[in-house]
């Protein structure tokens, strides 16, 4: 087993400082939204979690592609780890969205296209683990897992394009060709907290995926499969 | 010899073989047909549909029953090749493996399309509206084309697992969801007699799905089957 890289330790410390830091920023620095009230503050972590989830599924597909061309196990570990971490981020996005929806829409869940497709995305990647667990050799797990990760990621834009054709009640953060002077409908302080959250969640994603793929390597070594 | 003609003749031979097996055994299409009718009856019973509701839901019911029924055919088309190691024989043939994929997609498409064509008069009868509209048949071609090209790929994938064909619906339904949404939306518009401009984007979407999933099949079918 290789020693824990210094960069990873640095990333750990950064996340330990920045995640609570972002929370403080959101709770005390941003103004309270005029119409929705304090519950609007869910938004910062909600969008960041959704972003981190999407990014990790993209990473999983790219890592799967690299695995298929190089056949090096470490890329499969990366792909697997990204999907696992992405699933958790996706779940955070859905649950935090529900917390916001309860007072704003007066219901925990609506069958809105945006919500439904996000939930379907979670199901797609849950099936990834069912697929892996029903394969016998690490080689077939990696190979078929990579194919599935790539095909799944290819349908994600399809899914998200399909909801553009629907009318959705979900708020749109970045309006395409908005009539106002800014595409973002936020005050400067909100915008700052928003971008800080996005950045912090991206760091957290890298940190968790890195840890998880080191764990995958340990598991493989333990089973006598890895290098 | 012309390589393109060789390729086409390989595709045609696979398709002809499947059609012949189906014609002699008649074990695929009738099962799919009866199953899809059962789905329709179950839905009517379970949802307690009133007559005015039924008309609006006909498009949705048509696609759900087709989607359910076609998984039977998709599973059968690959499990058939597992018997007597027929797949190994096909893989040994000196043809490009994507030709096997295309042949399989075409045969799966023909079977599901046939089921769809039989369902149309049945639906017209049950839901008191003429469903024999050229545009609806076109939507069926596009929708089932995309659905079976994805389904054939995933059926080849799921047959490699320990759970075998049980896995296919879990992998296929969430990934095929955007296709089903587009197919249902355009069918609904057609049945409601709306002008083509209203559902044109959904048709384009279906076409994009065909291209995407066929490309995925071309790229990964060989990777899935390699030993």
């Amino acid at each position: 087993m290789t020693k824990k890289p210094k960069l990873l330790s640095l990333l750990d410390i950064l996340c330990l400082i920045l995640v609570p830091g972002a929370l403080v920023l959101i709770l005390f620095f941003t103004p309270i939204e005029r119409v929705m009230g304090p519950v609007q503050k869910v938004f910062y972590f909600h969008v960041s979690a959704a972003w981190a989830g999407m990014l990790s599924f993209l990473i999983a597909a790219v890592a799967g592609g690299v695995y298929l061309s190089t056949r090096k196990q470490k890329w499969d570990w990366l792909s697997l780890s990204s999907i696992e971490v992405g699933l958790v981020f996706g779940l955070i996005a859905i649950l935090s969205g529900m917390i916001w929806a309860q007072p704003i829409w007066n219901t925990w869940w609506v069958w809105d296209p945006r919500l439904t497709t996000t939930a379907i995305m979670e199901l797609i990647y849950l099936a990834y683990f069912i697929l892996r667990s029903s394969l016998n050799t690490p080689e077939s797990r990696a190979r078929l897992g990579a194919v599935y990760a790539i095909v799944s990621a290819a349908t994600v834009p399809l899914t998200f394009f399909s909801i553009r054709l629907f009318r959705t009640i979900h708020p749109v953060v970045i309006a395409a060709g908005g009539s106002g002077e800014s595409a973002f409908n936020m005050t400067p302080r909100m915008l700052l907290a928003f971008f800080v959250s996005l950045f912090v969640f991206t760091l957290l994603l890298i940190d968790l995926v890195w840890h998880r793929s080191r764990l995958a390597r340990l598991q493989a070594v333990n089973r006598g499969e890895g290098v | 010899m012309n390589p393109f003609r060789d390729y086409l003749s390989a595709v045609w031979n696979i398709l002809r073989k499947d059609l012949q097996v189906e014609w002699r055994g008649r074990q695929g299409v009738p099962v799919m047909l009866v199953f899809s009718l059962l789905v329709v009856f179950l839905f009517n019973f379970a949802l307690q549909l009133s007559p005015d509701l039924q008309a609006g839901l006909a498009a949705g019911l048509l696609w759900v029953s087709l989607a359910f029924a076609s998984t039977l055919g998709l599973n059968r088309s690959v499990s058939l090749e597992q018997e007597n190691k027929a797949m190994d024989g096909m893989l040994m043939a000196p043809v490009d493996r994507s030709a096997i994929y295309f042949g399989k997609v075409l045969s799966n498409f023909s079977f599901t399309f046939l089921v769809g064509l039989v369902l149309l008069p049945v639906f017209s009868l049950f839901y008191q509206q003429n469903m024999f509209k050229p545009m609806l048949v076109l939507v069926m071609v596009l929708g089932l084309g995309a659905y079976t090209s994805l389904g054939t790929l995933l059926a080849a994938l799921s047959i490699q697992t320990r759970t075998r064909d049980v896995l296919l619906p879990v992998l296929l339904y969430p990934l095929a969801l955007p296709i089903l949404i587009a197919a249902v939306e355009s069918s609904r518009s057609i049945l409601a007699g709306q002008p083509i401009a209203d559902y044109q984007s959904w048709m384009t979407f279906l076409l994009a799905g065909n291209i995407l999933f066929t490309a995925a099949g071309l790229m990964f079918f060989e990777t899935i089957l390699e030993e």
Side-chain angles (χ1 to χ4, degrees):
Chain A
M1 187 60 195
T2 49
K3 252 183 74 196
K4 185 175 172 184
K6 281 218 176 69
L7 188 59
L8 183 58
S9 305
L10 182 70
L11 212 55
D12 286 349
I13 296 165
L14 265 180
C15 287
L16 280 175
I17 298 168
L18 286 180
V19 174
L23 201 60
V24 169
L25 204 62
I26 290 166
L27 289 179
F28 302 109
F29 179 72
T30 60
I32 288 174
E33 214 266 346
R34 203 191 321 156
V35 184
M36 292 187 264
V39 75
Q40 182 268 340
K41 291 182 189 260
V42 165
F43 153 85
Y44 302 100
F45 274 13
H46 170 71
V47 178
S48 305
W51 151 255
M54 297 287 270
L55 185 63
S56 60
F57 294 143
L58 188 69
I59 294 172
V62 173
V66 178
Y67 170 80
L68 286 180
S69 56
T70 62
R71 304 284 166 144
K72 291 222 171 73
Q73 265 186 314
K74 64 174 180 183
W75 293 106
D76 177 51
W77 296 330
L78 176 60
S79 186
L80 166 73
S81 312
S82 307
I83 289 182
E84 206 171 288
V85 174
L87 262 179
V88 178
F89 275 118
L91 199 64
I92 292 172
I94 291 177
L95 290 179
S96 59
M98 284 173 138
I99 292 170
W100 175 85
Q102 168 58 22
I104 301 299
W105 289 339
N106 202 21
T107 172
W108 295 103
W109 183 265
V110 285
W111 289 101
D112 177 78
R114 186 76 158 259
L115 278 71
T116 312
T117 48
T118 310
I120 287 286
M121 200 173 73
E122 292 283 289
L123 287 177
I124 289 176
Y125 287 101
L126 269 181
Y128 174 84
F129 291 100
I130 303 174
L131 172 69
R132 282 186 83 102
S133 67
S134 59
L135 287 162
N136 286 326
T137 64
E139 190 275 329
S140 64
R141 273 200 291 273
R143 176 165 48 89
L144 299 180
V147 171
Y148 185 76
I150 296 170
V151 176
S152 306
T155 65
V156 170
L158 213 59
T159 309
F160 277 78
F161 179 69
S162 78
I163 62 170
R164 289 268 156 190
L165 297 173
F166 273 113
R167 267 163 302 189
T168 173
I169 64 169
H170 189 283
V172 180
V173 179
I174 303 157
S179 50
E181 56 275 19
S182 160
F184 293 93
N185 212 354
M186 284 182 264
T187 69
R189 283 187 165 199
M190 285 175 163
L191 214 52
L192 176 70
F194 176 56
F195 280 118
V196 168
S197 309
L198 278 183
F199 174 70
V200 169
F201 267 65
T202 311
L203 279 190
L204 186 63
L205 167 72
I206 298 169
D207 190 55
L208 290 174
V209 169
W210 197 339
H211 276 292
R212 180 62 186 85
S213 47
R214 280 166 56 85
L215 183 64
R217 176 206 289 267
L218 271 179
Q219 285 172 327
V221 171
N222 194 29
R223 284 193 300 261
E225 291 162 358
V227 271
Chain B
M1 285 292 272
N2 184 342
F4 185 64
R5 274 187 61 178
D6 285 356
Y7 189 85
L8 282 187
S9 91
V11 172
W12 164 243
N13 277 316
I14 303 269
L15 172 62
R16 199 189 56 182
K17 170 196 77 72
D18 276 0
L19 293 177
Q20 215 162 45
V21 169
E22 179 58 30
W23 179 250
R24 291 189 183 152
R26 293 191 190 90
Q27 285 169 331
V29 175
V31 178
M32 284 158 75
L33 193 58
V34 173
F35 183 75
S36 58
L37 287 177
L38 282 173
V39 171
V40 174
F41 279 95
L42 280 177
F43 265 109
N44 270 290
F45 167 66
L47 302 176
Q48 304 236 326
L49 301 177
S50 59
D52 54 323
L53 261 180
Q54 280 175 353
L57 289 177
L61 277 178
L62 175 73
W63 281 99
V64 168
S65 56
L66 273 177
F68 282 176
S70 58
T71 43
L72 296 179
L74 288 166
N75 268 329
R76 196 182 134 68
S77 89
V78 283
S79 63
L80 202 68
E81 306 297 350
Q82 300 295 94
E83 284 173 31
N84 304 323
K85 300 203 166 167
M87 189 53 109
D88 293 349
M90 284 208 296
L91 291 180
M92 269 191 277
V95 290
D96 199 293
R97 285 181 183 171
S98 61
I100 302 175
Y101 169 74
F102 273 129
K104 280 283 167 195
V105 169
L106 285 177
S107 71
N108 283 327
F109 170 76
S110 327
F111 297 149
T112 35
F113 185 58
L114 192 63
V115 173
L117 283 184
V118 179
L119 281 184
L120 282 185
V122 177
F123 267 68
S124 308
L125 196 73
F126 282 160
Y127 298 111
Q128 289 108 39
Q129 55 181 322
N130 179 21
M131 309 229 342
F132 261 115
K133 297 187 174 165
M135 284 313 275
L136 190 60
V137 176
L138 181 62
V139 168
M140 223 174 213
V141 171
L142 288 174
L144 289 178
Y147 192 78
T148 46
S149 51
L150 175 65
T152 307
L153 182 72
L154 293 177
L157 203 151
S158 72
I159 203 76
Q160 318 264 322
T161 64
R162 265 198 312 272
T163 42
R164 298 206 162 257
D165 42 4
V166 180
L167 201 57
L168 178 65
V170 177
L171 300 180
L172 177 58
Y173 295 154
L175 284 180
L177 189 84
I179 293 302
L180 290 178
I181 291 175
V184 169
E185 286 299 316
S186 38
S187 306
R188 190 176 291 149
S189 298
I190 291 167
L191 289 180
Q194 288 169 2
I196 191 160
D198 286 7
Y199 54 89
Q200 204 180 17
S201 44
W202 288 116
M203 302 275 278
T204 321
F205 187 83
L206 285 177
L207 194 65
N210 272 289
I211 294 166
L212 179 71
F213 292 141
T214 314
L218 264 177
M219 277 169 75
F220 296 123
F221 193 67
E222 183 158 4
T223 315
I224 287 173
L225 289 178
E226 82 185 29
E227 287 296 327

